Amino acid sequence: MRDDFPRIQRLPPYVFNITGELKAAARKRGEDIIDFGMGNPDGATPSHIVEKMIEAARKQQTHRYSLSKGIPRLRKAICNWYKQRFDVDLDPATEAIMTIGSKEGIAHLCLAVLDKGDTVLVPNPSYPIHIYGPVIAGADVLSVPITTSTEDFLNHIQDVIPRMTPRPKVLIVNFPANPTAQCVDLPFFEKLVAICREYGIWLVHDLAYADIAFDGYKPPSVMQVPGAKDIAVEFFTLSKSYNMPGWRVGFMVGNPELVGALSRIKSYFDYGTFTPIQVASILALEGPQDCVKQICDNYRSRRDVLVHGLNKLGWPVDMPKATMFAWAKIPEQYSHLKSLEFSKLVLEQAKVAISPGIGFGEYGDDFVRFSLIENEARTRQALRGLKDMFTRD
């Protein structure tokens, strides 16, 4: 049989599979592996959301095909959430669409608006779908380093865009950022929107960690910038804010042309998420928000234990202002290993699973990512394992 699948051949082997298989093998041998790898929330979905889904699932009519762009009441709830949260007005009919998680939405948006010959600007390191969504769609990706400051990133794109022929079609960004936990304030988005308007570039922003922010920091929305809807869309997901990762509920808002393009292509791919899940998502967005604060406080507590503990071990790591991640430069004594080999060593010697930075782009290869998915006791156990490893070496 011929192995002639050019779209698949553009995708490199998924580097996280390597560490994932090693982790699975270690657990099969009976080893207790403390897992900071995948950013997979470990908490229960708030009970009032679960009960609403069960209530809706008992109704016969909710078991029919749904709408790929989301039921009207959910799209209204999405727009209400933006109005209450960011004082942004959106039209639920033309400026909001539900997605099966933001990952699906970004991938299908790329398929809808990109083709061979198009170029997409993406920060590097970056969440993989921001890089490979455009690749799957056939576009070329220009990686823009974002290893130092976000201001340097702005300066870089301002320098490179005028010299590109043809000009890039789309710029994809994500703040607060996965994996780096970098944060921005509204003036950053004002500059970014101005650049994209000047050069006729679509701007796609992934706001997955809008609610997972600490120490008084409040992540802005690109939609708060006047005129942003002319060129921009923004994604949000309920996965982190409401401990709903497996529910696969997200949405995109903003430019009506891009919302329409995503709606059109999704109508060929899916019939939408199960209606009772959409009904429960309305309650998540419009119901009590104490659960969101509790979830955020939980991540903050884990962050404090992990980052303070790493610094005490002599591993300098910045305290993230947002996200469920800590982005750590490989300790000097191990820097020659690069991220994949270092992650393997940490798994073998400290019994701790982390994500190698190379999985987020070549500019991440001097770093590893910790996900805050282990409780404080397990985190302290991991720190003891790392201390033993550093002492042996």
Side-chain angles (χ1 to χ4, degrees):
M1 182 180 292
R2 292 177 59 201
D3 184 14
D4 186 16
F5 307 129
R7 196 179 302 277
I8 298 298
Q9 288 171 3
R10 291 193 69 195
L11 301 175
Y14 202 52
V15 70
F16 303 118
N17 285 349
I18 299 172
T19 51
E21 288 166 4
L22 291 172
K23 177 178 66 181
R27 284 177 167 165
K28 192 173 182 180
R29 294 192 298 268
E31 297 176 16
D32 180 18
I33 302 299
I34 301 169
D35 190 2
F36 297 104
M38 182 180 179
N40 188 5
D42 63 316
T45 303
S47 58
H48 67 284
I49 299 173
V50 176
E51 291 303 319
K52 189 66 176 179
M53 190 272 289
I54 294 170
E55 175 190 320
R58 290 197 173 105
K59 299 177 179 178
Q60 180 177 336
Q61 65 268 31
T62 64
H63 291 249
R64 306 186 72 186
Y65 289 130
S66 189
L67 296 173
S68 61
K69 64 181 181 180
I71 59 176
R73 184 64 183 84
L74 175 56
R75 284 182 278 125
K76 182 179 179 182
I78 290 165
C79 296
N80 290 343
W81 185 85
Y82 259 87
K83 180 64 177 176
Q84 185 175 31
R85 180 68 178 271
F86 299 112
D87 196 24
V88 170
D89 292 306
L90 294 162
D91 183 345
T94 61
E95 296 177 338
I97 180 171
M98 184 206 174
T99 59
I100 307 173
S102 56
K103 188 174 182 179
E104 173 270 329
I106 291 167
H108 279 152
L109 179 66
C110 289
L111 281 177
V113 304
L114 296 171
D115 208 339
K116 289 182 179 179
D118 291 331
T119 300
V120 180
L121 295 177
V122 182
N124 187 327
S126 187
Y127 183 55
I129 199 62
H130 300 157
I131 301 169
Y132 294 107
V135 168
I136 292 169
D140 298 315
V141 173
L142 178 63
S143 293
V144 182
I146 193 165
T147 51
T148 52
S149 72
T150 54
E151 196 64 33
D152 287 343
F153 172 78
L154 279 177
N155 292 335
H156 194 128
I157 63 172
Q158 283 181 302
D159 176 62
V160 73
I161 289 172
R163 297 188 281 111
M164 293 181 67
T165 304
R167 294 273 164 78
K169 190 171 185 178
V170 175
L171 168 62
I172 301 176
V173 293
N174 162 221
F175 296 105
N178 177 8
T180 65
Q182 288 166 303
C183 296
V184 299
D185 294 312
L186 193 57
F188 174 91
F189 283 137
E190 291 170 350
K191 295 175 185 176
L192 205 58
V193 167
I195 293 169
C196 290
R197 287 173 68 96
E198 180 180 356
Y199 294 106
I201 301 170
W202 294 114
L203 174 59
V204 176
H205 179 230
D206 185 355
L207 187 58
Y209 302 96
D211 293 312
I212 312 301
F214 320 112
D215 308 328
Y217 173 66
K218 294 185 178 180
S221 163
V222 73
M223 292 295 126
Q224 292 173 275
V225 179
K229 283 193 288 186
D230 294 342
I231 49 93
V233 288
E234 187 163 74
F235 284 89
F236 179 73
T237 171
L238 276 64
S239 295
K240 281 75 180 182
S241 300
Y242 300 93
N243 274 346
M244 295 172 64
W247 295 56
R248 308 313 303 131
V249 180
F251 52 80
M252 185 185 87
V253 302
N255 180 267
E257 189 176 347
L258 292 184
V259 170
L262 180 57
S263 177
R264 184 170 180 180
I265 202 165
K266 275 176 63 63
S267 69
Y268 283 89
F269 277 106
D270 68 77
Y271 286 111
T273 292
F274 187 39
T275 297
I277 290 178
Q278 296 192 53
V279 171
S281 298
I282 296 168
L283 181 61
L285 293 171
E286 295 188 344
Q289 299 299 299
D290 292 349
C291 57
V292 178
K293 183 181 183 303
Q294 291 168 2
I295 290 166
C296 182
D297 286 345
N298 189 41
Y299 284 126
R300 179 191 50 75
S301 178
R302 294 177 178 188
R303 175 204 67 166
D304 291 349
V305 172
L306 175 66
V307 177
H308 285 313
L310 291 173
N311 286 327
K312 277 179 130 181
L313 293 179
W315 186 350
V317 177
D318 291 336
M319 186 70 73
K321 291 197 302 183
T323 77
M324 55 184 293
F325 307 112
W327 185 240
K329 190 167 187 180
I330 297 171
E332 186 64 34
Q333 65 266 40
Y334 300 102
S335 59
H336 63 285
L337 292 177
K338 296 301 184 181
S339 62
L340 182 56
E341 292 306 314
F342 177 66
S343 297
K344 290 179 183 178
L345 188 68
V346 169
L347 183 67
E348 177 187 341
Q349 295 193 3
K351 309 306 177 188
V352 171
I354 50 180
S355 295
I358 188 65
F360 305 99
E362 64 270 28
Y363 292 105
D365 204 14
D366 292 327
F367 296 80
V368 292
R369 190 195 71 178
F370 287 81
S371 297
L372 305 175
I373 55 172
E374 293 277 13
N375 63 36
E376 290 87 338
R378 295 277 289 170
T379 299
R380 292 187 181 96
Q381 181 183 339
L383 291 166
R384 291 192 292 270
L386 288 167
K387 182 179 180 180
D388 290 344
M389 170 182 163
F390 293 167
T391 302
R392 285 197 302 271
D393 294 342

mmCIF file of all heavy atoms in Angstrom, residues 306-336:
data_model
loop_
_atom_site.group_PDB
_atom_site.id
_atom_site.type_symbol
_atom_site.label_atom_id
_atom_site.label_comp_id
_atom_site.label_asym_id
_atom_site.label_seq_id
_atom_site.Cartn_x
_atom_site.Cartn_y
_atom_site.Cartn_z
ATOM 1 N N LEU A 306 4.837 24.903 43.689
ATOM 2 C CA LEU A 306 5.774 24.443 42.668
ATOM 3 C C LEU A 306 6.898 25.445 42.426
ATOM 4 O O LEU A 306 8.091 25.099 42.496
ATOM 5 C CB LEU A 306 5.036 24.171 41.356
ATOM 6 C CG LEU A 306 5.936 23.787 40.163
ATOM 7 C CD1 LEU A 306 6.605 22.444 40.407
ATOM 8 C CD2 LEU A 306 5.149 23.764 38.856
ATOM 9 N N VAL A 307 6.536 26.680 42.141
ATOM 10 C CA VAL A 307 7.551 27.660 41.737
ATOM 11 C C VAL A 307 8.463 28.024 42.902
ATOM 12 O O VAL A 307 9.691 28.095 42.747
ATOM 13 C CB VAL A 307 6.890 28.903 41.119
ATOM 14 C CG1 VAL A 307 7.947 29.956 40.777
ATOM 15 C CG2 VAL A 307 6.124 28.509 39.853
ATOM 16 N N HIS A 308 7.898 28.236 44.079
ATOM 17 C CA HIS A 308 8.740 28.506 45.249
ATOM 18 C C HIS A 308 9.675 27.324 45.506
ATOM 19 O O HIS A 308 10.859 27.504 45.830
ATOM 20 C CB HIS A 308 7.887 28.774 46.486
ATOM 21 C CG HIS A 308 7.237 30.128 46.497
ATOM 22 N ND1 HIS A 308 7.923 31.298 46.206
ATOM 23 C CD2 HIS A 308 5.959 30.503 46.776
ATOM 24 C CE1 HIS A 308 7.102 32.325 46.306
ATOM 25 N NE2 HIS A 308 5.906 31.873 46.636
ATOM 26 N N GLY A 309 9.132 26.114 45.347
ATOM 27 C CA GLY A 309 9.945 24.919 45.580
ATOM 28 C C GLY A 309 11.071 24.778 44.575
ATOM 29 O O GLY A 309 12.208 24.427 44.938
ATOM 30 N N LEU A 310 10.805 25.037 43.306
ATOM 31 C CA LEU A 310 11.853 24.956 42.286
ATOM 32 C C LEU A 310 12.944 25.992 42.555
ATOM 33 O O LEU A 310 14.146 25.699 42.433
ATOM 34 C CB LEU A 310 11.249 25.168 40.893
ATOM 35 C CG LEU A 310 10.329 24.043 40.380
ATOM 36 C CD1 LEU A 310 9.662 24.453 39.074
ATOM 37 C CD2 LEU A 310 11.098 22.733 40.190
ATOM 38 N N ASN A 311 12.530 27.201 42.899
ATOM 39 C CA ASN A 311 13.522 28.245 43.193
ATOM 40 C C ASN A 311 14.389 27.872 44.399
ATOM 41 O O ASN A 311 15.598 28.136 44.407
ATOM 42 C CB ASN A 311 12.824 29.581 43.417
ATOM 43 C CG ASN A 311 12.310 30.205 42.124
ATOM 44 O OD1 ASN A 311 12.925 30.032 41.075
ATOM 45 N ND2 ASN A 311 11.200 30.889 42.188
ATOM 46 N N LYS A 312 13.783 27.234 45.404
ATOM 47 C CA LYS A 312 14.555 26.799 46.574
ATOM 48 C C LYS A 312 15.578 25.736 46.205
ATOM 49 O O LYS A 312 16.634 25.613 46.843
ATOM 50 C CB LYS A 312 13.618 26.226 47.644
ATOM 51 C CG LYS A 312 12.973 27.271 48.537
ATOM 52 C CD LYS A 312 12.053 26.599 49.528
ATOM 53 C CE LYS A 312 12.351 27.086 50.936
ATOM 54 N NZ LYS A 312 11.471 26.433 51.922
ATOM 55 N N LEU A 313 15.276 24.953 45.179
ATOM 56 C CA LEU A 313 16.215 23.937 44.709
ATOM 57 C C LEU A 313 17.352 24.535 43.883
ATOM 58 O O LEU A 313 18.235 23.805 43.442
ATOM 59 C CB LEU A 313 15.476 22.891 43.860
ATOM 60 C CG LEU A 313 14.461 21.994 44.566
ATOM 61 C CD1 LEU A 313 13.810 21.052 43.573
ATOM 62 C CD2 LEU A 313 15.120 21.218 45.691
ATOM 63 N N GLY A 314 17.304 25.854 43.653
ATOM 64 C CA GLY A 314 18.310 26.478 42.810
ATOM 65 C C GLY A 314 17.962 26.431 41.336
ATOM 66 O O GLY A 314 18.825 26.648 40.480
ATOM 67 N N TRP A 315 16.671 26.154 41.028
ATOM 68 C CA TRP A 315 16.196 26.151 39.639
ATOM 69 C C TRP A 315 15.371 27.422 39.461
ATOM 70 O O TRP A 315 14.204 27.467 39.830
ATOM 71 C CB TRP A 315 15.355 24.910 39.385
ATOM 72 C CG TRP A 315 14.931 24.730 37.950
ATOM 73 C CD1 TRP A 315 15.058 25.627 36.926
ATOM 74 C CD2 TRP A 315 14.298 23.567 37.387
ATOM 75 N NE1 TRP A 315 14.557 25.102 35.760
ATOM 76 C CE2 TRP A 315 14.083 23.839 36.003
ATOM 77 C CE3 TRP A 315 13.909 22.336 37.906
ATOM 78 C CZ2 TRP A 315 13.487 22.911 35.162
ATOM 79 C CZ3 TRP A 315 13.311 21.413 37.069
ATOM 80 C CH2 TRP A 315 13.098 21.697 35.701
ATOM 81 N N PRO A 316 15.941 28.489 38.911
ATOM 82 C CA PRO A 316 15.224 29.768 38.801
ATOM 83 C C PRO A 316 14.059 29.672 37.817
ATOM 84 O O PRO A 316 14.258 29.365 36.635
ATOM 85 C CB PRO A 316 16.294 30.740 38.292
ATOM 86 C CG PRO A 316 17.605 30.035 38.456
ATOM 87 C CD PRO A 316 17.301 28.576 38.383
ATOM 88 N N VAL A 317 12.870 29.931 38.318
ATOM 89 C CA VAL A 317 11.656 29.901 37.493
ATOM 90 C C VAL A 317 10.818 31.118 37.851
ATOM 91 O O VAL A 317 10.596 31.401 39.030
ATOM 92 C CB VAL A 317 10.844 28.607 37.733
ATOM 93 C CG1 VAL A 317 9.546 28.625 36.927
ATOM 94 C CG2 VAL A 317 11.671 27.373 37.386
ATOM 95 N N ASP A 318 10.356 31.840 36.839
ATOM 96 C CA ASP A 318 9.509 33.009 37.075
ATOM 97 C C ASP A 318 8.130 32.580 37.575
ATOM 98 O O ASP A 318 7.592 31.546 37.158
ATOM 99 C CB ASP A 318 9.341 33.821 35.786
ATOM 100 C CG ASP A 318 10.627 34.510 35.356
ATOM 101 O OD1 ASP A 318 11.478 34.754 36.233
ATOM 102 O OD2 ASP A 318 10.780 34.783 34.149
ATOM 103 N N MET A 319 7.555 33.402 38.427
ATOM 104 C CA MET A 319 6.212 33.165 38.944
ATOM 105 C C MET A 319 5.193 33.620 37.902
ATOM 106 O O MET A 319 5.082 34.817 37.615
ATOM 107 C CB MET A 319 6.010 33.938 40.248
ATOM 108 C CG MET A 319 4.705 33.648 40.950
ATOM 109 S SD MET A 319 4.604 32.003 41.676
ATOM 110 C CE MET A 319 5.699 32.184 43.097
ATOM 111 N N PRO A 320 4.440 32.708 37.281
ATOM 112 C CA PRO A 320 3.488 33.120 36.238
ATOM 113 C C PRO A 320 2.315 33.914 36.802
ATOM 114 O O PRO A 320 1.812 33.600 37.885
ATOM 115 C CB PRO A 320 3.020 31.799 35.635
ATOM 116 C CG PRO A 320 3.248 30.788 36.708
ATOM 117 C CD PRO A 320 4.440 31.248 37.479
ATOM 118 N N LYS A 321 1.887 34.944 36.072
ATOM 119 C CA LYS A 321 0.725 35.747 36.473
ATOM 120 C C LYS A 321 -0.588 35.125 36.020
ATOM 121 O O LYS A 321 -1.656 35.574 36.428
ATOM 122 C CB LYS A 321 0.825 37.163 35.891
ATOM 123 C CG LYS A 321 1.912 38.022 36.479
ATOM 124 C CD LYS A 321 1.691 39.505 36.155
ATOM 125 C CE LYS A 321 1.638 39.774 34.660
ATOM 126 N NZ LYS A 321 1.494 41.223 34.374
ATOM 127 N N ALA A 322 -0.505 34.109 35.163
ATOM 128 C CA ALA A 322 -1.723 33.511 34.614
ATOM 129 C C ALA A 322 -1.382 32.160 34.003
ATOM 130 O O ALA A 322 -0.218 31.792 33.893
ATOM 131 C CB ALA A 322 -2.350 34.438 33.573
ATOM 132 N N THR A 323 -2.396 31.455 33.575
ATOM 133 C CA THR A 323 -2.389 30.113 32.987
ATOM 134 C C THR A 323 -2.245 29.046 34.058
ATOM 135 O O THR A 323 -2.065 29.335 35.239
ATOM 136 C CB THR A 323 -1.305 29.887 31.903
ATOM 137 O OG1 THR A 323 -0.021 29.707 32.522
ATOM 138 C CG2 THR A 323 -1.273 31.019 30.903
ATOM 139 N N MET A 324 -2.295 27.801 33.641
ATOM 140 C CA MET A 324 -2.095 26.655 34.527
ATOM 141 C C MET A 324 -0.726 26.032 34.282
ATOM 142 O O MET A 324 -0.539 24.824 34.446
ATOM 143 C CB MET A 324 -3.206 25.626 34.315
ATOM 144 C CG MET A 324 -3.356 25.173 32.885
ATOM 145 S SD MET A 324 -4.736 24.035 32.618
ATOM 146 C CE MET A 324 -4.185 22.602 33.533
ATOM 147 N N PHE A 325 0.247 26.875 33.893
ATOM 148 C CA PHE A 325 1.567 26.379 33.535
ATOM 149 C C PHE A 325 2.679 27.186 34.200
ATOM 150 O O PHE A 325 2.497 28.363 34.534
ATOM 151 C CB PHE A 325 1.773 26.433 32.017
ATOM 152 C CG PHE A 325 0.686 25.764 31.236
ATOM 153 C CD1 PHE A 325 -0.187 26.499 30.446
ATOM 154 C CD2 PHE A 325 0.509 24.386 31.295
ATOM 155 C CE1 PHE A 325 -1.197 25.891 29.736
ATOM 156 C CE2 PHE A 325 -0.509 23.762 30.596
ATOM 157 C CZ PHE A 325 -1.362 24.521 29.805
ATOM 158 N N ALA A 326 3.829 26.539 34.341
ATOM 159 C CA ALA A 326 5.070 27.229 34.662
ATOM 160 C C ALA A 326 6.071 26.859 33.580
ATOM 161 O O ALA A 326 6.227 25.679 33.223
ATOM 162 C CB ALA A 326 5.581 26.810 36.036
ATOM 163 N N TRP A 327 6.730 27.874 33.041
ATOM 164 C CA TRP A 327 7.679 27.705 31.932
ATOM 165 C C TRP A 327 9.086 27.864 32.507
ATOM 166 O O TRP A 327 9.416 28.916 33.030
ATOM 167 C CB TRP A 327 7.385 28.760 30.878
ATOM 168 C CG TRP A 327 8.151 28.725 29.598
ATOM 169 C CD1 TRP A 327 8.955 29.714 29.107
ATOM 170 C CD2 TRP A 327 8.141 27.704 28.590
ATOM 171 N NE1 TRP A 327 9.448 29.380 27.871
ATOM 172 C CE2 TRP A 327 8.959 28.142 27.528
ATOM 173 C CE3 TRP A 327 7.520 26.452 28.487
ATOM 174 C CZ2 TRP A 327 9.177 27.374 26.372
ATOM 175 C CZ3 TRP A 327 7.739 25.689 27.339
ATOM 176 C CH2 TRP A 327 8.540 26.146 26.311
ATOM 177 N N ALA A 328 9.859 26.801 32.439
ATOM 178 C CA ALA A 328 11.127 26.755 33.167
ATOM 179 C C ALA A 328 12.296 26.504 32.230
ATOM 180 O O ALA A 328 12.296 25.522 31.468
ATOM 181 C CB ALA A 328 11.064 25.649 34.224
ATOM 182 N N LYS A 329 13.288 27.377 32.283
ATOM 183 C CA LYS A 329 14.515 27.149 31.522
ATOM 184 C C LYS A 329 15.274 25.980 32.138
ATOM 185 O O LYS A 329 15.377 25.869 33.363
ATOM 186 C CB LYS A 329 15.386 28.399 31.494
ATOM 187 C CG LYS A 329 16.540 28.288 30.515
ATOM 188 C CD LYS A 329 17.213 29.621 30.252
ATOM 189 C CE LYS A 329 18.244 29.470 29.133
ATOM 190 N NZ LYS A 329 18.919 30.747 28.835
ATOM 191 N N ILE A 330 15.791 25.110 31.305
ATOM 192 C CA ILE A 330 16.518 23.940 31.788
ATOM 193 C C ILE A 330 17.696 24.395 32.651
ATOM 194 O O ILE A 330 18.427 25.315 32.270
ATOM 195 C CB ILE A 330 17.022 23.098 30.604
ATOM 196 C CG1 ILE A 330 15.826 22.564 29.794
ATOM 197 C CG2 ILE A 330 17.896 21.937 31.079
ATOM 198 C CD1 ILE A 330 16.213 21.907 28.488
ATOM 199 N N PRO A 331 17.882 23.794 33.846
ATOM 200 C CA PRO A 331 18.998 24.195 34.706
ATOM 201 C C PRO A 331 20.331 24.121 33.976
ATOM 202 O O PRO A 331 20.538 23.257 33.109
ATOM 203 C CB PRO A 331 18.934 23.185 35.851
ATOM 204 C CG PRO A 331 17.515 22.720 35.883
ATOM 205 C CD PRO A 331 17.059 22.740 34.454
ATOM 206 N N GLU A 332 21.206 25.021 34.332
ATOM 207 C CA GLU A 332 22.478 25.171 33.618
ATOM 208 C C GLU A 332 23.238 23.852 33.492
ATOM 209 O O GLU A 332 23.794 23.538 32.429
ATOM 210 C CB GLU A 332 23.349 26.212 34.344
ATOM 211 C CG GLU A 332 24.642 26.553 33.620
ATOM 212 C CD GLU A 332 24.408 27.221 32.268
ATOM 213 O OE1 GLU A 332 23.433 27.972 32.134
ATOM 214 O OE2 GLU A 332 25.215 26.967 31.353
ATOM 215 N N GLN A 333 23.248 23.051 34.561
ATOM 216 C CA GLN A 333 24.040 21.819 34.522
ATOM 217 C C GLN A 333 23.494 20.775 33.558
ATOM 218 O O GLN A 333 24.174 19.796 33.236
ATOM 219 C CB GLN A 333 24.176 21.207 35.926
ATOM 220 C CG GLN A 333 22.879 20.711 36.556
ATOM 221 C CD GLN A 333 22.230 21.756 37.434
ATOM 222 O OE1 GLN A 333 22.219 22.945 37.094
ATOM 223 N NE2 GLN A 333 21.695 21.334 38.575
ATOM 224 N N TYR A 334 22.242 20.984 33.098
ATOM 225 C CA TYR A 334 21.633 20.038 32.160
ATOM 226 C C TYR A 334 21.376 20.656 30.790
ATOM 227 O O TYR A 334 20.779 20.012 29.921
ATOM 228 C CB TYR A 334 20.300 19.533 32.717
ATOM 229 C CG TYR A 334 20.412 18.822 34.041
ATOM 230 C CD1 TYR A 334 20.067 19.476 35.227
ATOM 231 C CD2 TYR A 334 20.843 17.503 34.124
ATOM 232 C CE1 TYR A 334 20.156 18.834 36.453
ATOM 233 C CE2 TYR A 334 20.935 16.851 35.345
ATOM 234 C CZ TYR A 334 20.594 17.526 36.505
ATOM 235 O OH TYR A 334 20.684 16.880 37.715
ATOM 236 N N SER A 335 21.782 21.883 30.566
ATOM 237 C CA SER A 335 21.399 22.607 29.352
ATOM 238 C C SER A 335 21.895 21.930 28.075
ATOM 239 O O SER A 335 21.310 22.098 27.006
ATOM 240 C CB SER A 335 21.899 24.049 29.402
ATOM 241 O OG SER A 335 23.299 24.091 29.523
ATOM 242 N N HIS A 336 22.953 21.169 28.178
ATOM 243 C CA HIS A 336 23.493 20.487 26.993
ATOM 244 C C HIS A 336 22.558 19.390 26.487
ATOM 245 O O HIS A 336 22.677 18.939 25.349
ATOM 246 C CB HIS A 336 24.855 19.873 27.322
ATOM 247 C CG HIS A 336 24.796 18.808 28.376
ATOM 248 N ND1 HIS A 336 24.634 19.100 29.728
ATOM 249 C CD2 HIS A 336 24.863 17.447 28.295
ATOM 250 C CE1 HIS A 336 24.619 17.974 30.425
ATOM 251 N NE2 HIS A 336 24.753 16.954 29.575
#
